[in-house]
Amino acid sequence: MDIEKQKDGTKLYVKLVGRLDTKTAPELSEMLKDELEGVEELTFDLSELVYVSSAGLRVILSAQKIMNKQGSMKVRNVKGIVMEVFESTGFVDILTIE
């Protein structure tokens, strides 16, 4: 998985490319731990994410919990199997998906 990030003041934009699974979730978790301090608006672009596992869902949920305390989080461009996973796990009710 590739992680593309852009930080602009209190805004963080993260684009995920490839697979967010047991192997790659720790990398995303570590990056978010380093970057989320002071962030008030987090945006995930999942237009090129082709797969998400339960480990990936845990990282996204953890980010949502942090952002509930310090700002807002949006998930954009969710497609295909990733949207199916979000729907079957109830993440569509937890996340702000655009």
Side-chain angles (χ1 to χ4, degrees):
M1 177 183 69
D2 289 326
I3 301 172
E4 300 171 13
K5 64 180 179 184
Q6 294 177 326
K7 198 166 188 180
D8 181 16
T10 60
K11 296 180 182 180
L12 178 62
Y13 170 87
V14 179
K15 182 174 183 175
L16 304 178
V17 179
R19 297 171 57 91
L20 179 55
D21 54 24
T22 306
K23 192 174 184 180
T24 58
E27 177 186 355
L28 178 60
S29 180
E30 197 62 34
M31 185 279 293
L32 289 171
K33 186 167 44 168
D34 293 340
E35 297 287 338
L36 282 182
E37 187 172 331
V39 170
E40 295 174 5
E41 187 178 313
L42 172 62
T43 303
F44 281 105
D45 180 346
L46 304 186
S47 60
E48 295 185 49
L49 188 69
V50 296
Y51 175 80
V52 63
S53 73
S54 59
L57 291 175
R58 279 192 297 276
V59 175
I60 293 170
L61 183 59
S62 175
Q64 180 67 66
K65 287 179 178 178
I66 292 168
M67 293 312 298
N68 284 344
K69 295 176 185 170
Q70 65 189 52
S72 64
M73 182 176 114
K74 292 181 273 193
V75 181
R76 292 191 172 151
N77 306 314
V78 185
K79 297 180 181 162
I81 191 72
V82 176
M83 182 56 95
E84 289 178 26
V85 170
F86 283 178
E87 288 170 348
S88 65
T89 57
F91 270 59
V92 291
D93 299 323
I94 298 168
L95 304 174
T96 302
I97 300 175
E98 297 179 346

Coordinates of all heavy atoms in Angstrom, one line a residue:
M1 N 0.8 -1.2 0.0 CA 0.0 0.0 0.0 C 0.9 1.2 0.0 O 1.9 1.3 0.7 CB -0.9 0.0 1.2 CG -1.8 1.2 1.3 SD -2.8 1.3 2.8 CE -1.5 1.6 4.1
D2 N 0.5 2.2 -0.7 CA 1.1 3.5 -0.7 C 0.2 4.5 0.1 O -1.0 4.5 -0.1 CB 1.3 4.1 -2.1 CG 2.4 3.3 -2.9 OD1 3.4 2.8 -2.2 OD2 2.3 3.1 -4.1
I3 N 0.9 5.4 0.8 CA 0.2 6.4 1.6 C 0.7 7.8 1.0 O 1.9 8.0 1.1 CB 0.5 6.3 3.1 CG1 0.0 5.0 3.6 CG2 -0.2 7.5 3.8 CD1 0.4 4.7 5.1
E4 N -0.2 8.5 0.5 CA 0.1 9.9 0.0 C -0.5 10.8 1.0 O -1.7 10.7 1.3 CB -0.4 10.1 -1.4 CG 0.1 9.2 -2.4 CD -0.5 9.3 -3.8 OE1 -1.3 10.3 -4.0 OE2 -0.4 8.4 -4.6
K5 N 0.2 11.7 1.6 CA -0.3 12.7 2.6 C 0.1 14.1 2.3 O 1.1 14.4 1.7 CB 0.1 12.3 4.0 CG 1.6 12.4 4.2 CD 1.9 12.0 5.6 CE 3.5 12.1 5.7 NZ 4.0 11.7 6.9
Q6 N -0.8 15.0 2.6 CA -0.6 16.4 2.5 C -1.1 17.1 3.8 O -2.3 16.8 4.2 CB -1.3 17.0 1.3 CG -0.8 16.5 0.0 CD -1.6 17.1 -1.2 OE1 -2.8 17.3 -1.1 NE2 -1.0 17.3 -2.3
K7 N -0.3 17.9 4.4 CA -0.8 18.6 5.6 C -0.7 20.1 5.3 O 0.2 20.6 4.7 CB 0.2 18.3 6.7 CG -0.4 18.6 8.1 CD 0.3 18.0 9.2 CE -0.4 18.1 10.5 NZ 0.4 17.5 11.6
D8 N -1.8 20.8 5.6 CA -2.0 22.2 5.4 C -2.5 22.8 6.7 O -3.7 22.8 6.9 CB -2.9 22.5 4.2 CG -3.0 24.0 3.9 OD1 -2.2 24.8 4.4 OD2 -4.0 24.3 3.2
G9 N -1.7 23.3 7.5 CA -2.1 23.8 8.8 C -2.7 22.7 9.7 O -2.1 21.8 10.1
T10 N -4.0 22.9 9.9 CA -4.8 21.9 10.8 C -5.5 20.9 9.9 O -6.4 20.2 10.5 CB -5.7 22.7 11.7 OG1 -6.7 23.4 10.9 CG2 -5.0 23.6 12.6
K11 N -5.2 20.9 8.6 CA -5.9 19.9 7.8 C -4.9 18.8 7.3 O -3.8 19.2 6.9 CB -6.5 20.6 6.5 CG -7.6 21.6 6.9 CD -8.1 22.3 5.6 CE -9.2 23.3 6.0 NZ -9.7 24.0 4.8
L12 N -5.4 17.6 7.3 CA -4.5 16.5 6.8 C -5.3 15.7 5.8 O -6.5 15.3 6.1 CB -4.1 15.6 8.0 CG -3.3 14.3 7.6 CD1 -2.0 14.7 7.0 CD2 -3.1 13.5 8.9
Y13 N -4.7 15.5 4.6 CA -5.3 14.7 3.5 C -4.5 13.5 3.3 O -3.3 13.6 3.2 CB -5.3 15.6 2.3 CG -5.7 14.9 1.0 CD1 -7.0 14.7 0.6 CD2 -4.7 14.3 0.2 CE1 -7.3 14.1 -0.6 CE2 -5.0 13.6 -1.0 CZ -6.3 13.5 -1.4 OH -6.7 12.9 -2.5
V14 N -5.2 12.3 3.4 CA -4.5 11.1 3.2 C -5.1 10.2 2.1 O -6.3 9.9 2.2 CB -4.5 10.2 4.6 CG1 -3.8 8.9 4.4 CG2 -3.9 11.0 5.7
K15 N -4.3 9.9 1.1 CA -4.8 9.0 0.0 C -4.2 7.7 0.2 O -2.9 7.6 0.3 CB -4.5 9.6 -1.3 CG -5.0 8.8 -2.5 CD -4.8 9.5 -3.8 CE -5.4 8.7 -4.9 NZ -5.3 9.3 -6.2
L16 N -5.0 6.6 0.2 CA -4.5 5.3 0.3 C -4.6 4.5 -1.0 O -5.7 4.6 -1.7 CB -5.3 4.5 1.4 CG -5.4 5.1 2.8 CD1 -6.2 4.3 3.7 CD2 -4.0 5.3 3.3
V17 N -3.5 3.9 -1.4 CA -3.5 3.2 -2.7 C -3.1 1.8 -2.5 O -2.1 1.5 -1.9 CB -2.4 3.9 -3.7 CG1 -2.4 3.2 -5.0 CG2 -2.8 5.4 -3.9
G18 N -3.9 0.9 -3.0 CA -3.6 -0.6 -2.8 C -4.5 -1.3 -1.8 O -5.7 -1.1 -1.8
R19 N -3.9 -2.0 -0.9 CA -4.6 -2.9 0.1 C -4.3 -2.4 1.5 O -3.1 -2.3 1.8 CB -4.2 -4.3 -0.1 CG -4.5 -4.9 -1.4 CD -3.9 -6.3 -1.6 NE -4.3 -7.2 -0.6 CZ -5.3 -8.0 -0.6 NH1 -6.1 -8.0 -1.7 NH2 -5.6 -8.9 0.4
L20 N -5.3 -2.2 2.3 CA -5.2 -1.9 3.7 C -5.5 -3.2 4.4 O -6.7 -3.5 4.6 CB -6.1 -0.7 4.1 CG -6.0 -0.3 5.5 CD1 -4.6 0.1 6.0 CD2 -7.0 0.9 5.7
D21 N -4.5 -3.9 4.9 CA -4.7 -5.2 5.5 C -3.8 -5.4 6.7 O -3.1 -4.4 7.1 CB -4.5 -6.3 4.4 CG -3.2 -6.2 3.7 OD1 -2.2 -5.7 4.3 OD2 -3.1 -6.8 2.6
T22 N -3.7 -6.6 7.2 CA -2.9 -6.9 8.4 C -1.4 -6.4 8.2 O -0.8 -6.0 9.1 CB -2.9 -8.4 8.7 OG1 -4.3 -8.8 8.8 CG2 -2.2 -8.7 10.0
K23 N -0.9 -6.6 7.0 CA 0.4 -6.2 6.7 C 0.7 -4.7 6.6 O 1.7 -4.2 7.0 CB 0.8 -6.9 5.4 CG 2.3 -6.9 5.0 CD 2.5 -7.7 3.8 CE 4.0 -7.8 3.5 NZ 4.2 -8.6 2.2
T24 N -0.3 -4.0 6.1 CA -0.1 -2.5 5.9 C -0.7 -1.6 6.9 O -0.4 -0.5 7.0 CB -0.6 -2.1 4.5 OG1 -2.0 -2.5 4.4 CG2 0.2 -2.9 3.4
A25 N -1.7 -2.1 7.7 CA -2.4 -1.3 8.7 C -1.4 -0.7 9.7 O -1.6 0.5 10.0 CB -3.5 -2.1 9.3
P26 N -0.4 -1.4 10.2 CA 0.5 -0.8 11.2 C 1.2 0.4 10.6 O 1.4 1.4 11.3 CB 1.5 -1.9 11.5 CG 0.7 -3.2 11.2 CD -0.2 -2.9 10.0
E27 N 1.5 0.4 9.3 CA 2.2 1.6 8.7 C 1.3 2.8 8.7 O 1.7 3.9 9.1 CB 2.5 1.2 7.3 CG 3.2 2.3 6.5 CD 3.4 2.0 5.0 OE1 3.2 0.9 4.6 OE2 3.8 2.9 4.3
L28 N 0.0 2.6 8.4 CA -1.0 3.7 8.5 C -1.2 4.2 9.9 O -1.2 5.4 10.2 CB -2.3 3.3 7.8 CG -3.4 4.3 7.9 CD1 -3.0 5.6 7.1 CD2 -4.7 3.7 7.3
S29 N -1.3 3.2 10.8 CA -1.5 3.6 12.2 C -0.3 4.4 12.7 O -0.6 5.4 13.4 CB -1.6 2.3 13.0 OG -1.8 2.6 14.4
E30 N 0.9 4.0 12.4 CA 2.1 4.8 12.9 C 2.1 6.2 12.3 O 2.4 7.1 12.9 CB 3.3 4.0 12.5 CG 4.6 4.4 13.2 CD 4.5 4.2 14.7 OE1 3.8 3.2 15.2 OE2 5.1 5.0 15.4
M31 N 1.8 6.3 11.0 CA 1.8 7.6 10.3 C 0.7 8.5 11.0 O 1.0 9.7 11.2 CB 1.5 7.4 8.8 CG 1.5 8.7 8.0 SD 0.1 9.8 8.0 CE -1.1 8.8 7.2
L32 N -0.5 8.0 11.2 CA -1.5 8.8 11.8 C -1.1 9.2 13.2 O -1.4 10.3 13.6 CB -2.8 8.0 11.9 CG -3.5 7.8 10.5 CD1 -4.7 6.9 10.6 CD2 -3.9 9.2 9.9
K33 N -0.5 8.3 14.0 CA 0.0 8.7 15.3 C 0.9 9.9 15.3 O 0.8 10.7 16.1 CB 0.6 7.5 16.0 CG 1.0 7.7 17.5 CD 1.3 6.4 18.2 CE 2.3 5.5 17.6 NZ 2.8 4.5 18.5
D34 N 1.8 9.9 14.3 CA 2.8 11.0 14.2 C 2.1 12.3 13.6 O 2.6 13.3 14.0 CB 3.9 10.5 13.2 CG 4.7 9.4 13.7 OD1 4.7 9.2 15.0 OD2 5.4 8.7 12.9
E35 N 1.1 12.1 12.8 CA 0.6 13.3 12.1 C -0.7 13.9 12.7 O -1.0 15.1 12.4 CB 0.3 12.9 10.7 CG 1.5 12.5 9.9 CD 2.4 13.7 9.5 OE1 1.9 14.8 9.5 OE2 3.6 13.4 9.2
L36 N -1.5 13.2 13.5 CA -2.8 13.7 13.9 C -2.8 14.8 15.0 O -3.8 15.5 15.2 CB -3.7 12.6 14.4 CG -4.3 11.8 13.3 CD1 -5.2 10.7 13.8 CD2 -5.0 12.6 12.3
E37 N -1.7 15.0 15.7 CA -1.6 16.0 16.7 C -1.9 17.4 16.1 O -1.2 17.8 15.1 CB -0.3 16.0 17.4 CG -0.3 17.0 18.6 CD 1.0 16.8 19.5 OE1 1.6 15.7 19.5 OE2 1.4 17.8 20.1
G38 N -2.9 18.1 16.6 CA -3.2 19.4 16.1 C -4.1 19.5 14.9 O -4.5 20.5 14.4
V39 N -4.4 18.3 14.3 CA -5.2 18.2 13.1 C -6.7 18.4 13.5 O -7.2 17.7 14.5 CB -5.0 16.9 12.4 CG1 -6.0 16.7 11.3 CG2 -3.6 16.8 11.8
E40 N -7.4 19.3 12.8 CA -8.8 19.5 13.1 C -9.7 18.9 12.0 O -10.9 18.7 12.2 CB -9.1 21.0 13.3 CG -8.4 21.6 14.5 CD -8.5 23.1 14.6 OE1 -9.2 23.7 13.8 OE2 -7.9 23.6 15.5
E41 N -9.1 18.7 10.8 CA -9.9 18.1 9.7 C -9.0 17.1 9.0 O -8.0 17.4 8.4 CB -10.2 19.3 8.7 CG -11.1 18.8 7.6 CD -11.5 20.0 6.7 OE1 -11.9 21.1 7.2 OE2 -11.4 19.8 5.5
L42 N -9.5 15.8 9.1 CA -8.8 14.7 8.4 C -9.7 14.2 7.3 O -10.9 13.9 7.5 CB -8.6 13.6 9.4 CG -8.1 12.2 8.9 CD1 -6.7 12.4 8.3 CD2 -8.0 11.2 10.0
T43 N -9.1 14.0 6.1 CA -9.8 13.5 4.9 C -9.0 12.3 4.4 O -7.8 12.4 4.1 CB -9.9 14.6 3.8 OG1 -10.6 15.7 4.4 CG2 -10.7 14.1 2.6
F44 N -9.7 11.2 4.3 CA -9.2 10.0 3.6 C -9.7 10.0 2.2 O -11.0 10.0 2.0 CB -9.6 8.7 4.3 CG -8.8 8.4 5.6 CD1 -9.4 8.6 6.8 CD2 -7.5 7.9 5.5 CE1 -8.6 8.3 8.0 CE2 -6.8 7.6 6.6 CZ -7.4 7.8 7.9
D45 N -8.9 9.8 1.2 CA -9.3 9.6 -0.2 C -9.0 8.1 -0.4 O -7.9 7.6 -0.4 CB -8.5 10.4 -1.1 CG -8.9 10.2 -2.6 OD1 -9.6 9.2 -2.9 OD2 -8.4 11.0 -3.4
L46 N -10.1 7.3 -0.7 CA -10.0 5.9 -0.9 C -10.3 5.5 -2.3 O -10.6 4.3 -2.6 CB -10.9 5.1 0.1 CG -10.8 5.4 1.6 CD1 -11.7 4.5 2.4 CD2 -9.4 5.3 2.0
S47 N -10.1 6.4 -3.2 CA -10.4 6.2 -4.7 C -9.6 5.0 -5.2 O -10.0 4.4 -6.2 CB -10.3 7.4 -5.5 OG -9.0 7.9 -5.4
E48 N -8.4 4.8 -4.7 CA -7.5 3.8 -5.2 C -7.2 2.7 -4.2 O -6.3 1.9 -4.3 CB -6.2 4.4 -5.7 CG -6.4 5.3 -6.9 CD -5.2 5.9 -7.5 OE1 -4.2 5.1 -7.7 OE2 -5.1 7.1 -7.7
L49 N -8.1 2.6 -3.2 CA -8.0 1.5 -2.2 C -8.8 0.3 -2.7 O -10.0 0.5 -3.0 CB -8.5 1.9 -0.8 CG -8.3 0.9 0.3 CD1 -6.8 0.8 0.6 CD2 -9.0 1.4 1.6
V50 N -8.2 -0.8 -2.9 CA -8.9 -1.9 -3.6 C -9.4 -3.0 -2.6 O -10.1 -3.9 -2.9 CB -8.1 -2.6 -4.7 CG1 -7.8 -1.6 -5.8 CG2 -6.8 -3.1 -4.1
Y51 N -8.9 -2.9 -1.3 CA -9.2 -3.9 -0.3 C -9.0 -3.4 1.1 O -8.0 -2.6 1.3 CB -8.3 -5.2 -0.5 CG -8.5 -6.2 0.6 CD1 -9.6 -7.1 0.5 CD2 -7.7 -6.3 1.6 CE1 -9.8 -8.1 1.5 CE2 -7.9 -7.3 2.6 CZ -8.9 -8.2 2.5 OH -9.1 -9.1 3.5
V52 N -9.9 -3.7 2.0 CA -9.7 -3.3 3.4 C -10.0 -4.5 4.3 O -11.1 -5.2 4.1 CB -10.5 -2.1 3.8 CG1 -12.0 -2.3 3.7 CG2 -10.1 -1.6 5.2
S53 N -9.2 -4.9 5.2 CA -9.4 -6.0 6.1 C -9.9 -5.5 7.5 O -9.9 -4.3 7.7 CB -8.1 -6.8 6.3 OG -7.2 -6.1 7.1
S54 N -10.1 -6.4 8.4 CA -10.5 -5.9 9.8 C -9.4 -5.1 10.4 O -9.7 -4.2 11.2 CB -10.9 -7.2 10.6 OG -9.8 -8.0 10.7
A55 N -8.2 -5.4 10.2 CA -7.1 -4.6 10.7 C -7.1 -3.2 10.2 O -6.9 -2.3 10.9 CB -5.7 -5.3 10.4
G56 N -7.4 -3.1 8.9 CA -7.5 -1.7 8.3 C -8.7 -1.0 8.9 O -8.6 0.2 9.2
L57 N -9.8 -1.7 9.1 CA -11.0 -1.1 9.7 C -10.7 -0.5 11.1 O -11.2 0.5 11.5 CB -12.2 -2.1 9.8 CG -12.8 -2.5 8.4 CD1 -13.8 -3.5 8.6 CD2 -13.4 -1.3 7.7
R58 N -9.9 -1.3 11.9 CA -9.6 -0.9 13.2 C -8.8 0.5 13.2 O -9.0 1.3 14.0 CB -8.7 -1.9 13.9 CG -9.6 -3.0 14.5 CD -8.8 -3.9 15.5 NE -7.7 -4.6 14.8 CZ -7.9 -5.8 14.2 NH1 -9.1 -6.4 14.1 NH2 -6.8 -6.4 13.6
V59 N -7.9 0.6 12.2 CA -7.1 1.8 12.1 C -8.0 3.0 11.7 O -7.9 4.1 12.3 CB -6.0 1.7 11.1 CG1 -5.2 3.0 10.9 CG2 -5.0 0.6 11.5
I60 N -8.9 2.8 10.8 CA -9.8 3.9 10.4 C -10.7 4.2 11.6 O -11.0 5.4 11.8 CB -10.7 3.4 9.2 CG1 -9.7 3.3 8.0 CG2 -11.8 4.4 8.9 CD1 -10.4 2.7 6.8
L61 N -11.2 3.2 12.3 CA -12.1 3.5 13.5 C -11.3 4.3 14.6 O -11.8 5.2 15.2 CB -12.7 2.2 14.0 CG -13.6 2.3 15.2 CD1 -14.8 3.2 14.8 CD2 -14.0 1.0 15.7
S62 N -10.1 3.9 14.8 CA -9.2 4.6 15.8 C -9.0 6.0 15.4 O -9.1 6.9 16.2 CB -7.9 3.9 15.8 OG -7.0 4.5 16.7
A63 N -8.8 6.3 14.1 CA -8.7 7.7 13.6 C -10.0 8.4 13.8 O -9.9 9.6 14.2 CB -8.3 7.7 12.1
Q64 N -11.1 7.8 13.6 CA -12.4 8.5 13.8 C -12.6 8.8 15.2 O -13.1 9.9 15.5 CB -13.5 7.5 13.3 CG -14.9 8.1 13.5 CD -15.2 9.3 12.6 OE1 -15.2 9.2 11.4 NE2 -15.3 10.5 13.2
K65 N -12.2 8.0 16.2 CA -12.4 8.2 17.6 C -11.5 9.4 18.0 O -12.0 10.3 18.8 CB -12.0 7.0 18.4 CG -13.0 5.9 18.3 CD -12.6 4.7 19.2 CE -13.7 3.6 19.1 NZ -13.3 2.5 19.9
I66 N -10.3 9.5 17.5 CA -9.4 10.6 17.8 C -10.0 11.9 17.2 O -10.1 12.9 17.9 CB -8.0 10.4 17.2 CG1 -7.3 9.3 18.0 CG2 -7.2 11.7 17.3 CD1 -6.1 8.7 17.3
M67 N -10.5 11.9 16.0 CA -11.0 13.1 15.3 C -12.3 13.5 15.9 O -12.7 14.7 15.9 CB -11.1 12.9 13.8 CG -9.8 12.7 13.1 SD -8.6 14.0 13.6 CE -9.4 15.5 13.0
N68 N -13.1 12.6 16.5 CA -14.3 13.0 17.2 C -14.0 13.9 18.4 O -14.8 14.8 18.7 CB -15.1 11.8 17.8 CG -15.8 11.0 16.8 OD1 -16.0 11.5 15.7 ND2 -16.2 9.8 17.1
K69 N -12.8 13.8 19.0 CA -12.4 14.7 20.1 C -11.8 16.0 19.6 O -11.9 17.0 20.3 CB -11.4 13.9 21.0 CG -12.0 12.7 21.6 CD -10.9 12.0 22.4 CE -11.5 10.7 23.0 NZ -10.5 9.8 23.5
Q70 N -11.2 16.0 18.4 CA -10.4 17.2 18.1 C -10.8 17.8 16.8 O -10.2 18.8 16.3 CB -8.9 16.9 18.1 CG -8.4 15.9 17.0 CD -7.0 15.5 17.2 OE1 -6.6 15.1 18.3 NE2 -6.2 15.6 16.2
G71 N -11.9 17.3 16.1 CA -12.3 17.9 14.9 C -13.2 17.0 14.1 O -14.1 16.4 14.7
S72 N -13.0 16.9 12.8 CA -13.8 16.1 11.9 C -13.0 15.2 11.0 O -11.9 15.5 10.7 CB -14.8 17.0 11.1 OG -14.0 17.8 10.2
M73 N -13.7 14.1 10.5 CA -13.0 13.2 9.6 C -14.0 12.9 8.5 O -15.2 12.6 8.7 CB -12.6 11.9 10.3 CG -11.9 10.9 9.4 SD -11.3 9.5 10.4 CE -12.3 8.2 9.6
K74 N -13.5 12.9 7.2 CA -14.3 12.5 6.1 C -13.6 11.4 5.3 O -12.4 11.4 5.3 CB -14.5 13.7 5.1 CG -15.3 14.9 5.7 CD -15.5 16.0 4.7 CE -14.3 16.9 4.9 NZ -14.4 18.2 4.2
V75 N -14.4 10.6 4.7 CA -13.9 9.5 3.9 C -14.5 9.7 2.5 O -15.7 9.8 2.4 CB -14.3 8.1 4.4 CG1 -13.7 7.0 3.5 CG2 -13.7 8.0 5.8
R76 N -13.7 9.9 1.5 CA -14.1 10.2 0.1 C -13.8 9.1 -0.9 O -12.8 8.4 -0.7 CB -13.5 11.5 -0.4 CG -13.9 12.7 0.4 CD -13.5 14.0 -0.3 NE -14.1 15.1 0.4 CZ -13.6 16.3 0.4 NH1 -12.4 16.5 -0.2 NH2 -14.2 17.3 1.0
N77 N -14.6 9.0 -1.9 CA -14.4 8.2 -3.1 C -14.2 6.7 -2.7 O -13.4 6.0 -3.3 CB -13.1 8.7 -3.8 CG -13.1 10.1 -4.2 OD1 -14.2 10.6 -4.7 ND2 -12.1 10.9 -3.9
V78 N -15.1 6.2 -1.9 CA -15.1 4.8 -1.5 C -15.8 4.0 -2.7 O -16.9 4.4 -3.1 CB -15.8 4.6 -0.2 CG1 -15.7 3.1 0.2 CG2 -15.3 5.5 0.9
K79 N -15.1 2.9 -3.1 CA -15.7 2.2 -4.3 C -15.7 0.7 -4.0 O -15.0 0.2 -3.1 CB -14.8 2.5 -5.5 CG -14.8 3.9 -5.9 CD -13.9 4.1 -7.1 CE -13.9 5.6 -7.5 NZ -12.9 5.9 -8.4
G80 N -16.5 0.0 -4.8 CA -16.4 -1.4 -4.9 C -16.5 -2.2 -3.6 O -17.3 -2.0 -2.7
I81 N -15.5 -3.1 -3.5 CA -15.5 -4.0 -2.3 C -15.3 -3.3 -1.0 O -15.8 -3.7 0.0 CB -14.4 -5.1 -2.6 CG1 -14.5 -6.2 -1.5 CG2 -13.0 -4.5 -2.5 CD1 -15.7 -7.1 -1.7
V82 N -14.6 -2.2 -1.1 CA -14.3 -1.4 0.2 C -15.7 -0.8 0.7 O -16.0 -0.9 1.9 CB -13.3 -0.3 -0.1 CG1 -13.2 0.6 1.2 CG2 -11.9 -0.9 -0.5
M83 N -16.5 -0.3 -0.2 CA -17.8 0.1 0.2 C -18.7 -1.0 0.7 O -19.4 -0.9 1.7 CB -18.5 0.9 -1.0 CG -19.9 1.4 -0.5 SD -19.8 2.6 0.9 CE -19.8 4.1 0.0
E84 N -18.6 -2.2 0.1 CA -19.3 -3.3 0.5 C -18.9 -3.7 2.0 O -19.8 -4.0 2.8 CB -19.1 -4.5 -0.4 CG -19.8 -4.4 -1.7 CD -19.5 -5.6 -2.7 OE1 -19.2 -6.7 -2.2 OE2 -19.6 -5.4 -3.9
V85 N -17.6 -3.6 2.3 CA -17.1 -3.9 3.6 C -17.7 -2.9 4.6 O -18.1 -3.2 5.7 CB -15.6 -4.0 3.6 CG1 -15.1 -4.1 5.1 CG2 -15.1 -5.2 2.8
F86 N -17.6 -1.6 4.2 CA -18.2 -0.6 5.1 C -19.6 -0.8 5.3 O -20.1 -0.6 6.5 CB -17.9 0.8 4.5 CG -16.5 1.3 4.6 CD1 -16.2 2.6 4.0 CD2 -15.5 0.7 5.2 CE1 -14.9 3.1 4.1 CE2 -14.2 1.2 5.3 CZ -13.9 2.4 4.8
E87 N -20.4 -1.2 4.3 CA -21.8 -1.4 4.5 C -22.1 -2.6 5.4 O -22.9 -2.6 6.3 CB -22.5 -1.6 3.1 CG -22.6 -0.3 2.4 CD -23.0 -0.5 0.9 OE1 -23.1 -1.6 0.4 OE2 -23.3 0.6 0.3
S88 N -21.4 -3.7 5.2 CA -21.7 -4.9 5.9 C -21.2 -4.9 7.4 O -21.7 -5.6 8.2 CB -21.0 -6.2 5.2 OG -19.6 -6.1 5.2
T89 N -20.3 -4.0 7.7 CA -19.8 -3.8 9.0 C -20.4 -2.7 9.8 O -20.1 -2.5 11.0 CB -18.2 -3.6 9.0 OG1 -17.9 -2.4 8.3 CG2 -17.5 -4.8 8.5
G90 N -21.3 -1.9 9.1 CA -21.9 -0.8 9.8 C -21.1 0.5 9.8 O -21.5 1.5 10.4
F91 N -19.9 0.5 9.1 CA -19.1 1.7 9.1 C -19.8 2.8 8.3 O -19.4 4.0 8.6 CB -17.7 1.3 8.4 CG -16.7 0.9 9.4 CD1 -16.9 -0.2 10.2 CD2 -15.5 1.6 9.6 CE1 -16.0 -0.7 11.1 CE2 -14.6 1.2 10.5 CZ -14.8 0.0 11.3
V92 N -20.7 2.5 7.5 CA -21.4 3.6 6.8 C -22.2 4.5 7.8 O -22.5 5.6 7.5 CB -22.4 3.1 5.7 CG1 -21.6 2.5 4.5 CG2 -23.4 2.1 6.2
D93 N -22.5 3.9 9.0 CA -23.3 4.6 10.0 C -22.3 5.4 10.9 O -22.8 6.3 11.6 CB -24.1 3.7 10.8 CG -25.2 3.0 9.9 OD1 -25.7 3.6 9.0 OD2 -25.4 1.8 10.2
I94 N -21.1 5.0 10.9 CA -20.1 5.6 11.8 C -19.3 6.7 11.1 O -19.0 7.8 11.8 CB -19.1 4.5 12.3 CG1 -19.8 3.5 13.1 CG2 -18.0 5.2 13.2 CD1 -19.0 2.2 13.4
L95 N -19.0 6.5 9.9 CA -18.1 7.4 9.1 C -18.9 8.4 8.3 O -20.0 8.2 8.0 CB -17.2 6.7 8.2 CG -16.3 5.6 8.8 CD1 -15.6 4.8 7.6 CD2 -15.3 6.1 9.8
T96 N -18.3 9.6 8.1 CA -18.9 10.6 7.1 C -18.3 10.2 5.8 O -17.1 10.5 5.5 CB -18.5 12.0 7.5 OG1 -19.0 12.2 8.9 CG2 -19.1 13.0 6.6
I97 N -19.1 9.6 4.9 CA -18.6 9.2 3.6 C -19.2 10.1 2.5 O -20.4 10.3 2.5 CB -19.0 7.7 3.4 CG1 -18.4 6.8 4.4 CG2 -18.6 7.3 2.0 CD1 -18.8 5.4 4.3
E98 N -18.3 10.6 1.7 CA -18.7 11.5 0.6 C -18.4 10.8 -0.7 O -17.5 10.1 -0.9 CB -18.0 12.8 0.7 CG -18.3 13.6 2.0 CD -17.5 14.9 2.0 OE1 -16.6 15.1 1.3 OE2 -17.9 15.7 2.9

